[in-house]
Amino acid sequence: MPNITVTHAETGLIQAEVVRSERVTPNMVRVTLGGDDLRRFEHRGFDQWFRLALPVGSPDDLARMPAKFGVGGYLSYLRIPKGHRPVVRNYTVRSFDEPAGELAIDFVSHGTEGVAGPWAAS
Ligand SMILES: Cc1cc2nc3c(=O)[nH]c(=O)nc-3n(C[C@H](O)[C@H](O)[C@H](O)COP(=O)(O)OP(=O)(O)OC[C@H]3O[C@@H](n4cnc5c(N)ncnc54)[C@H](O)[C@@H]3O)c2cc1C
């Protein structure tokens, strides 16, 4: 008998901005996101994860992201030309401060390789 239930929030694409970051251990950076659109975030509690899109070229490239990331959305994402296609990585919710509308993410800081780790570190 499983003692967990897996659920999926239908929120779709949310735009957010970095409000602060702090190095919580030598190898971990906590990045806190905020912004009006983040108030739509559906917090599901323990072990919730989501996809984070980061621009690799211009920040304007984020406007090319599909509104949903199902099969159709993923195919639209793949049609974004390389060089403009935001990088997508999965992250676990460290905490969500509902009154403030702020989402904290703990990034493993693993050096200069990759995209998301170095982005968080910088
Ligand atoms: C469901 C889920 C939840 C996740 N939640 C988190 C989270 O809360 N915080 C988090 O930091 N990551 C989390 N991850 C991992 C995250 O999605 C990325 O894979 C990770 O941040 C690396 O992305 P990157 O762009 O920096 O490196 P990538 O481009 O993916 O990798 C480039 C290279 O970096 C190195 N590298 C990557 N990650 C590590 C590491 N952890 N230690 C050492 N070397 C590494 C490897 O050499 C790798 O070949 C989660 C993954 C999943 C599937």
Side-chain angles (χ1 to χ4, degrees):
M1 184 80 170
N3 61 0
I4 59 167
T5 306
V6 177
T7 61
H8 177 73
E10 293 292 340
T11 322
L13 188 69
I14 289 178
Q15 296 187 22
E17 57 199 53
V18 175
V19 291
R20 64 186 162 275
S21 72
E22 57 178 322
R23 189 166 284 275
V24 288
T25 74
N27 295 308
M28 188 159 284
V29 178
R30 182 163 301 154
V31 176
T32 303
L33 306 180
D36 284 348
D37 202 28
L38 196 55
R39 293 192 177 276
R40 294 191 298 113
F41 183 76
E42 292 177 42
H43 189 210
R44 296 292 176 97
F46 173 71
D47 213 22
Q48 180 175 4
W49 66 273
F50 58 94
R51 294 192 175 90
L52 179 71
L54 296 170
V56 288
S58 159
D60 294 344
D61 291 338
L62 286 175
R64 297 169 180 250
M65 286 297 293
K68 300 264 184 187
F69 217 64
V71 175
Y74 184 59
L75 291 175
S76 303
Y77 168 75
L78 291 179
R79 282 195 287 270
I80 303 171
K82 278 189 176 173
H84 291 284
R85 190 186 304 153
V87 157
V88 173
R89 299 283 186 266
N90 301 326
Y91 286 94
T92 308
V93 176
R94 171 67 179 79
S95 61
F96 185 65
D97 179 341
E98 205 126 16
E102 290 185 354
L103 171 69
I105 312 164
D106 281 348
F107 286 82
V108 175
S109 186
H110 56 84
T112 55
E113 273 190 60
V115 178
W119 173 84
S122 69

